[in-house]
Structure formats: structure tokens, C-alpha cells
């Protein structure tokens, strides 16, 4: 079996999917094994597909960011609302990083695209803005190496490891 | 502060999927979306268990979870810390969730994929408001408490079952904006429900029957719990249920005595609430709508309260139906004139036909047949509930059977199908049979 050092856990197809206009939720766990979670405002994959950067609303993700800083554990689920295609990535080396240049622009692009994706399902742009953006929008970023990808599309195969 | 699920209940019915995070024994997190979150009480919720997946494995190993819910109109969001308690795979909660899941599955194109294996019950340990969300103002809502107040007052003024049923439907229309509704009475001897009143349909469907367990009405009766579906699903359709019954029977005669169920062909929203009184099931109140997601938890609570009052009032009126002393001599029957009216009774199922038209069967058929016989033989046209209750030939299941409901059903069917016969209440527990044409009775014995 190829080691993570020789092959990226993310295929090109998965990398494209996780950067799409999907509903994205990240979770971590405390040292006591209690879960934390927050909505993600945007996702970016490095060119070699070995590194994923996530952007959060800092106020929405306080506990998640603390747990990530403490345990490095992360699980992120991506769901395409119209098709229910769902993918989960996991990693063990997640860490908060200084907010990269362009993080706010990434969040802005993701939210705009997401508005377009859910409008046909009856969700207004105002609602999407309300859910993602509070009155103030301090952006925080997290980076991790995806070690495994799991299919989460509803059905008996949900949970199957893909890479 | 103690967490209160009641205060965030409106977020659990949301069109925005909730998500759940759990941890494996080694602390590895797992996060996924949840089809349905069911409110149980102020401290408990239930989630669907559909697949043996990582979430399942995790909560069995480490019974703590975090649930993220977002309200579909305002965007307000909460994180609920949960403690897994148990899984129920039968009973009222399971059936409620199974029905609701069928609607969600159909709505999301997941019919045949979503299958409820169990209802996972969780205690809510904490509820955290998600900061950094800017909720939109909630849209104005109908004031259900004001509607309940008005309905209760109007229903409390009713003095007989027929007007109570009609008033209930009128209040559903006016106070609750419910345009399509049915009231069904429980026939305990046969384990079925029959329609006694309806509103909003081209055909009233009075006399149509639903078997226990069929559709949301039958399941609500069987489980004695409200059943609510937010989206159209074929899994809980009635036209199919009725059609199936007919196909199964294979008897032409049965086909002829089947009164079509009047409900919408494709209801988007359905809510069936059992009518209970004194620990017994009296019937079901059913509301439906062509609009998706029409009924929420608050509507359900309001109709449960309304149904409780309807049940208590119906029971009260039934107990009060013992006859008063006769104040005056019975009136002589008005002379029956015109063409002869042929009335046939099939002993097989006590079905009554007026001419070639099916009228009624079962206990109500028996009651009519007995009265028509008395009328022809003795010229009697006044009867008391008490004598009907005590008549062994009528096969009333027991003394507490809702005879008044059967008489209401009979009278309404006569009103719709036969202008030569009618029942009129002439005092507490007493009524008069009006016969306007000469009768010929033909009894068809069992084959």
C-alpha cells in the first residue's frame, strides 16, 4: 500500500469536489474525546493535493479551532445539496494558521457560489448570508493533510473508505 | 441554565439538513448529515438510525454527540450536546419517525434508500447558540393559541355530536386555515375507522373506511400518536390503500359497498391526530394540504389539544344521551306517499341498498334495518338510543360504543343518498325516523 508520503489521499476528482459550492461542516474533538463542529466558509486544495485549507467564521468556530489547536484531529463533510453526493475527509495534523491573504475572498466566492447552488431549492441569498456571515466576519483558517476520504452519500455504502 | 429543546424546536423541522459529530474510541472525529431530528420533550430528541455506519459505531462506543441545527427561514443555528440513551425499533416514536422519514425520502429522491431501522433517543445536555450568525426576522405566524381559544369556546357550546363535529371542522377552516380535513370514528369491533364528517372535498366521503395501520390515519390510530408528514409520499397514500383493499377482496359486492376515501390524491402535507378520551381511542382528526411542510410542531400541538377537547366533549354528549321522560305523546307518522321505495339488506355484511344505490353497512346498516322493520310492522317512528343499545340483534360491541357517532354517520349518508328517509333528534337520547315514501323491504340472506 502506498504511504501518504508517496501518494496524495485526494484524487483529482475529490479535490475538485471539495472546492465546489457545497455545504461544508468540519468537526474535531477535545482531549476528552468530545466533538466540536462548525460550518466552513470555504475550502482550498494545494496543487499537489496534500494540503487542504479551510476558512471559518471565527465566532462560529471558537471551540472547533481550540480543539484543532489541541488535538490536530479533523473530519470535514462536503455535501452537494442538489445531488446529496457527500464526501468526508479526515486528517490528524490539522492546525490553525495565520489567515492567508485571499481567505476572505475565498469565503466570498464560496458563499456566492453556494447561494447559486441552493437558490433552486428555495433558499434565499439573504438566508445563506445570515447563516454564514454574522455582523462582523473575522475569518480564521485551518490547514491539514487529508489522510482518508470516505463516501458519505446516503445509502448502504455510506462510510466506505475511498482512498 | 438547563437546556430547553422547546425553545429551539422550530429548528428541528428545518429544510436545512442538520449534521452530527461523534468521536471514535480513539478520539477520531466523524461528521455527517442527519435526515431527521425528532422533538421528544424539553430534554430529549431522537435521530434516525438507518445504516450501520461510523456514527452508529461511535455512539455505541462513546455515547456523546454534537448536533448542529439551523432554522430554515431565519438561519438561527444551535449546537446541541447529546447523550445517547437507547434505540427504539417499534412503537409510537418509531412509527412517527418512519412516516416522517418516508416524506423526507420522497422529497429528496431517497425513496427506497432511506429505511428506518430504529429511533435513537438522546438526552440533550446543553444547547449553545452559534455566535456569528445574523438571523433574519421570523415571518409572521398564525396565532394558534387565539385559534384554540375561539375553537374551544365554540365547541363547548355544542349540544349534540353532529353539531360538535361540524363546529370542529368550521373552526379548523376559520381559525387554523385548514381547508381539507376529516373526522373519523373508531369502530372498535372491526378495528377500522369510518369518516363521519369532512370539509374541503367534492365528495364528502362520509362512511369511507380506513383500516388500522393504513396510511397516516391508520398508523395514528394504531399507535395512538400524532403522525405528521411534510412532503408527498406514496408510502402513506390512501387511494392506493383503498384500491388495494378492493383488489385483495376480489368480490364484486365489496366493490359496490366501498365508499371512496375523499382525501387529496397527492397531499404534500398530512397530519393525523388521535382523538382520545378516558384512555380510549374515539377516532382520528386528519388535516392535509396541497402545500409542502404546511404543519409544524406548533400545529401538531394545537390539533392534539383540539382533538382532546373534541374527545372529551363527544364522551360527555354520549354519556348525556340517556332519554329524558317523554314530554308528549309520539307524533303520528306523516303519511308516506309516492312511488314505492325498495330497501334491500344483505345479511352477509348488513349492507343496505336503497333502490340500486349502496347506502351503509355494518352496525349502522343493522340499526336502520331494525327501525325500518319496526316502522312497517308496528307503525313506530320514534326510537331511543337506550333501546338500540340494549337490542342484542344490533350487535353493538359494548355499552360504551359510540352509538351517537353511528347514528350521525347513518343520518349523513341518508342526507346524501336518500331523500325519502331521515332521522331527527327529538330530545336527549331520542330521535324520529321520517319515512316519506311507501317502503318495501327485501332481506337477502347469507349465501
Amino acid at each position: 500500500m502506498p504511504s501518504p508520503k508517496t501518494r496524495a489521499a485526494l484524487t483529482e476528482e475529490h479535490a475538485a469536489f471539495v472546492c465546489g459550492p457545497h455545504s461544508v461542516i468540519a468537526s474535531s474533538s477535545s482531549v476528552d474525546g468530545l466533538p466540536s463542529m462548525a460550518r466552513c466558509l470555504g475550502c482550498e486544495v494545494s496543487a499537489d493535493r496534500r494540503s487542504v485549507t479551510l476558512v471559518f467564521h471565527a465566532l462560529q468556530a471558537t471551540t472547533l479551532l481550540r480543539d484543532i489547536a489541541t488535538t490536530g484531529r479533523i473530519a470535514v463533510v462536503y455535501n452537494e445539496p442538489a445531488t446529496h453526493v457527500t464526501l468526508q475527509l479526515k486528517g490528524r495534523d490539522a492546525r490553525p494558521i495565520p489567515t492567508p491573504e485571499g481567505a476572505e475572498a475565498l469565503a466570498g466566492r464560496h458563499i456566492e457560489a453556494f447561494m447559486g447552488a441552493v437558490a433552486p431549492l428555495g433558499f434565499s441569498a439573504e438566508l445563506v448570508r445570515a447563516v454564514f456571515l454574522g455582523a462582523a466576519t473575522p475569518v480564521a483558517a485551518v490547514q491539514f493533510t487529508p489522510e482518508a476520504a470516505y463516501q458519505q452519500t446516503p445509502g448502504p455504502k455510506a462510510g466506505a473508505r475511498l482512498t | 441554565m438547563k437546556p430547553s429543546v422547546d425553545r429551539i424546536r422550530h429548528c428541528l423541522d428545518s429544510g436545512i439538513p442538520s449534521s452530527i459529530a461523534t468521536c471514535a474510541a480513539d478520539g477520531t472525529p466523524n461528521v455527517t448529515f442527519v435526515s431527521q431530528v425528532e422533538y421528544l420533550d424539553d430534554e430529549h430528541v431522537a435521530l434516525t438510525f438507518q445504516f450501520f455506519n461510523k456514527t452508529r459505531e461511535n455512539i455505541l462506543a462513546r455515547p456523546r454527540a454534537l448536533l448542529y441545527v439551523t432554522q430554515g427561514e431565519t438561519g438561527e443555528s444551535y449546537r446541541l450536546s447529546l447523550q445517547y440513551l437507547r434505540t427504539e425499533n417499534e412503537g409510537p416514536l418509531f412509527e412517527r419517525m418512519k412516516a416522517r422519514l418516508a416524506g423526507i425520502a420522497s422529497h429528496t429522491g431517497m425513496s427506497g434508500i432511506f429505511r428506518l431501522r430504529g429511533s435513537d433517543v438522546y438526552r440533550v445536555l446543553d444547547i449553545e447558540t452559534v455566535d456569528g450568525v445574523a438571523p433574519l426576522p421570523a415571518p409572521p405566524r398564525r396565532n394558534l393559541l387565539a385559534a384554540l381559544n375561539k375553537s374551544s369556546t365554540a365547541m363547548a357550546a355544542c349540544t349534540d355530536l353532529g353539531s360538535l363535529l361540524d363546529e370542529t371542522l368550521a373552526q379548523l377552516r376559520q381559525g387554523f386555515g385548514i381547508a381539507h380535513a376529516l373526522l373519523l370514528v373508531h369502530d372498535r369491533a372491526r378495528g377500522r375507522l369510518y369518516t363521519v364528517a369532512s370539509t374541503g372535498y367534492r365528495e364528502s366521503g362520509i362512511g369511507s373506511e380506513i383500516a388500522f395501520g393504513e396510511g397516516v390515519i391508520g398508523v395514528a390510530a394504531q399507535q395512538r400518536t400524532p403522525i405528521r408528514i411534510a412532503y408527498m409520499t406514496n408510502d402513506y397514500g390512501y387511494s392506493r390503500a383503498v384500491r388495494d383493499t378492493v383488489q385483495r377482496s376480489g368480490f364484486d359486492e365489496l366493490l359496490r359497498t366501498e365508499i371512496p376515501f375523499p382525501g387529496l390524491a397527492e397531499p404534500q402535507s398530512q397530519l393525523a391526530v388521535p382523538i382520545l378520551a378516558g384512555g380510549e381511542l374515539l377516532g382520528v382528526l386528519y388535516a392535509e394540504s396541497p402545500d409542502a411542510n404546511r404543519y409544524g410542531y406548533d400545529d401538531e400541538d394545537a390539533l392534539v389539544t383540539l382533538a382532546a377537547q373534541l374527545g372529551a366533549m363527544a364522551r360527555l354528549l354520549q354519556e348525556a344521551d340517556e332519554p329524558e321522560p317523554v314530554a308528549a305523546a309520539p307524533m303520528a307518522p306523516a303519511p308516506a306517499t309516492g312511488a314505492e321505495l325498495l330497501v334491500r339488506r344483505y345479511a352477509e355484511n348488513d349492507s343496505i341498498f336503497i333502490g340500486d344505490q349502496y347506502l351503509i353497512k355494518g352496525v349502522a346498516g343493522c340499526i336502520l334495518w331494525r327501525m325500518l322493520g319496526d316502522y312497517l310492522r308496528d307503525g313506530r317512528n320514534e326510537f331511543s338510543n337506550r333501546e338500540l343499545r340494549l337490542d342484542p340483534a344490533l350487535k353493538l360491541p359494548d355499552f360504551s360504543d359510540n352509538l351517537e357517532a353511528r347514528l350521525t354517520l347513518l343520518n349523513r349518508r341518508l342526507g346524501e343518498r336518500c331523500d325519502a328517509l331521515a332521522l331527527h333528534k327529538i330530545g336527549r337520547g331520542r330521535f324520529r325516523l321520517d319515512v316519506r315514501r311507501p317502503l318495501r323491504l327485501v332481506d337477502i340472506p347469507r349465501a
Side-chain angles (χ1 to χ4, degrees):
Chain A
M1 189 177 158
S3 87
K5 289 195 186 319
T6 56
R7 207 183 80 175
L10 273 187
T11 63
E12 278 184 43
E13 184 194 357
H14 294 156
F17 182 80
V18 301
C19 293
H22 307 324
S23 181
V24 187
I25 308 265
S27 78
S28 183
S29 60
S30 68
V31 284
D32 303 326
L34 295 177
S36 49
M37 89 177 126
R39 276 189 198 283
C40 195
L41 304 190
C43 176
E44 207 165 52
V45 178
S46 65
D48 64 2
R49 305 194 304 276
R50 291 176 192 282
S51 174
V52 172
T53 302
L54 301 172
V55 177
F56 296 93
H57 188 304
L59 292 179
Q60 294 185 11
T62 316
T63 311
L64 176 84
L65 293 169
R66 185 199 65 201
D67 285 349
I68 286 173
T70 313
T71 67
R73 298 168 186 149
I74 195 163
V76 193
V77 68
Y78 302 81
N79 168 266
E80 184 171 26
T83 63
H84 308 293
V85 171
T86 310
L87 187 75
Q88 185 176 209
L89 300 183
K90 291 195 182 185
R92 289 181 293 179
D93 66 350
R95 64 214 171 275
I97 57 168
T99 308
E101 203 175 324
E104 287 194 17
L106 170 65
R109 283 197 306 277
H110 176 79
I111 292 165
E112 281 294 323
F114 190 67
M115 285 171 183
V118 297
L121 306 177
F123 296 108
S124 67
E126 291 72 28
L127 179 67
V128 174
R129 212 171 281 120
V131 169
F132 283 100
L133 306 172
T137 56
V139 167
V142 162
Q143 208 161 59
F144 73 100
T145 310
E147 289 188 0
Y150 299 85
Q151 172 173 326
Q152 295 287 145
T153 306
K157 288 185 182 163
R161 186 166 175 159
L162 297 171
T163 56
Chain B
M1 198 176 80
K2 200 174 138 209
S4 168
V5 184
D6 286 354
R7 292 172 58 189
I8 59 130
R9 184 171 73 159
H10 55 294
C11 299
L12 308 185
D13 254 342
S14 172
I16 298 179
S18 302
S19 42
I20 185 171
T22 54
C23 293
D26 68 356
T28 303
N30 191 81
V31 59
T32 190
F33 291 91
V34 179
S35 311
Q36 179 190 346
V37 182
E38 183 79 10
Y39 164 85
L40 296 192
D41 59 37
D42 202 25
E43 296 171 25
H44 298 87
V45 294
L47 307 181
T48 55
F49 158 40
Q50 300 181 57
F51 310 106
F52 289 100
N53 55 19
K54 193 68 187 170
T55 299
R56 184 79 193 160
E57 189 184 318
N58 285 357
I59 59 150
L60 294 179
R62 195 189 272 266
R64 291 288 294 270
L66 191 64
L67 186 71
Y68 197 108
V69 299
T70 300
Q71 214 279 329
E73 290 169 316
T74 65
E76 61 186 295
S77 301
Y78 300 92
R79 278 181 280 250
L80 284 68
S81 298
L82 306 179
Q83 171 95 31
Y84 169 72
L85 297 179
R86 65 181 182 277
T87 299
E88 297 184 10
N89 47 25
E90 59 178 10
L93 173 64
F94 180 82
E95 294 296 338
R96 275 173 65 83
M97 293 185 72
K98 186 176 157 196
R100 212 175 133 202
L101 184 64
I104 294 168
S106 172
H107 179 61
T108 53
M110 290 289 166
S111 294
I113 295 170
F114 284 175
R115 184 174 77 85
L116 191 65
R117 290 174 185 272
S119 301
D120 287 343
V121 178
Y122 291 84
R123 174 175 292 122
V124 178
L125 304 175
D126 186 42
I127 299 176
E128 176 200 359
T129 304
V130 177
D131 288 332
V133 171
L136 303 175
R141 295 242 175 264
R142 183 180 292 274
N143 190 329
L144 295 171
L145 273 179
L148 264 182
N149 179 348
K150 193 162 170 289
S151 306
S152 297
T153 306
M155 288 162 68
C158 293
T159 54
D160 65 85
L161 184 67
S163 62
L164 175 65
L165 298 172
D166 291 340
E167 189 61 57
T168 304
L169 292 177
Q171 292 300 324
L172 285 176
R173 283 194 305 271
Q174 294 158 17
F176 298 87
I178 292 173
H180 305 280
L182 296 168
L183 295 171
L184 301 100
V185 171
H186 179 201
D187 185 338
R188 263 181 294 164
R190 297 170 60 233
R192 295 177 76 84
L193 298 135
Y194 56 89
T195 306
V196 283
S198 69
T199 187
Y201 306 106
R202 203 162 52 85
E203 297 285 337
S204 76
I206 286 170
S208 60
E209 296 187 357
I210 297 287
F212 262 44
E214 267 181 323
V216 298
I217 294 170
V219 176
Q222 189 175 53
Q223 301 293 333
R224 297 185 174 205
T225 192
I227 301 286
R228 183 163 56 92
I229 298 185
Y231 306 98
M232 168 61 202
T233 167
N234 289 325
D235 292 4
Y236 286 80
Y238 294 103
S239 42
R240 197 187 72 172
V242 170
R243 217 170 37 242
D244 285 352
T245 309
V246 173
Q247 281 164 357
R248 276 199 302 273
S249 73
F251 295 114
D252 287 347
E253 194 56 38
L254 183 61
L255 258 177
R256 293 175 62 191
T257 63
E258 203 74 52
I259 298 168
F261 181 76
L264 300 174
E266 295 196 335
Q268 292 290 326
S269 298
Q270 302 181 68
L271 173 55
V273 175
I275 303 166
L276 302 164
E280 286 179 5
L281 176 77
L282 299 190
V284 170
L285 185 164
Y286 173 69
E288 60 182 352
S289 170
D291 301 325
N293 212 4
R294 165 68 177 78
Y295 307 117
Y297 282 109
D298 287 352
D299 299 281
E300 183 180 318
D301 281 356
L303 293 201
V304 166
T305 308
L306 194 75
Q309 177 163 15
L310 174 59
M313 280 287 293
R315 175 58 67 90
L316 201 66
L317 293 171
Q318 180 188 326
E319 283 169 2
D321 79 358
E322 286 308 297
E324 293 169 324
V326 179
M331 280 172 57
T337 56
E340 186 178 74
L341 186 71
L342 173 66
V343 182
R344 286 178 295 155
R345 191 277 292 261
Y346 288 82
E348 184 74 32
N349 56 359
D350 294 315
S351 58
I352 304 281
F353 285 72
I354 307 283
D356 290 329
Q357 274 218 332
Y358 167 67
L359 179 74
I360 197 87
K361 67 184 169 192
V363 175
C366 251
I367 290 172
L368 179 63
W369 189 248
R370 157 161 175 194
M371 291 191 296
L372 294 176
D374 284 2
Y375 171 85
L376 265 194
R377 195 175 52 248
D378 309 327
R380 274 189 71 198
N381 71 336
E382 289 193 11
F383 301 87
S384 74
N385 289 13
R386 182 173 172 78
E387 68 172 291
L388 296 179
R389 283 192 192 288
L390 296 176
D391 185 344
L394 294 184
K395 296 174 265 185
L396 282 174
D398 58 48
F399 190 77
S400 63
D401 181 76
N402 198 340
L403 174 62
E404 197 68 28
R406 295 183 189 278
L407 292 171
T408 303
L409 165 68
L410 174 58
N411 203 24
R412 291 185 174 195
R413 282 291 290 171
L414 285 171
E416 289 181 355
R417 300 280 154 169
C418 177
D419 54 11
L421 298 172
L423 302 179
H424 292 287
K425 210 168 172 64
I426 52 171
R428 188 188 291 170
R430 293 170 62 239
F431 58 94
R432 189 179 71 233
L433 170 70
D434 280 351
V435 181
R436 301 189 191 105
R437 281 165 57 185
L439 292 180
R440 183 158 70 93
L441 304 186
V442 176
D443 197 8
I444 318 279
R446 285 170 197 272

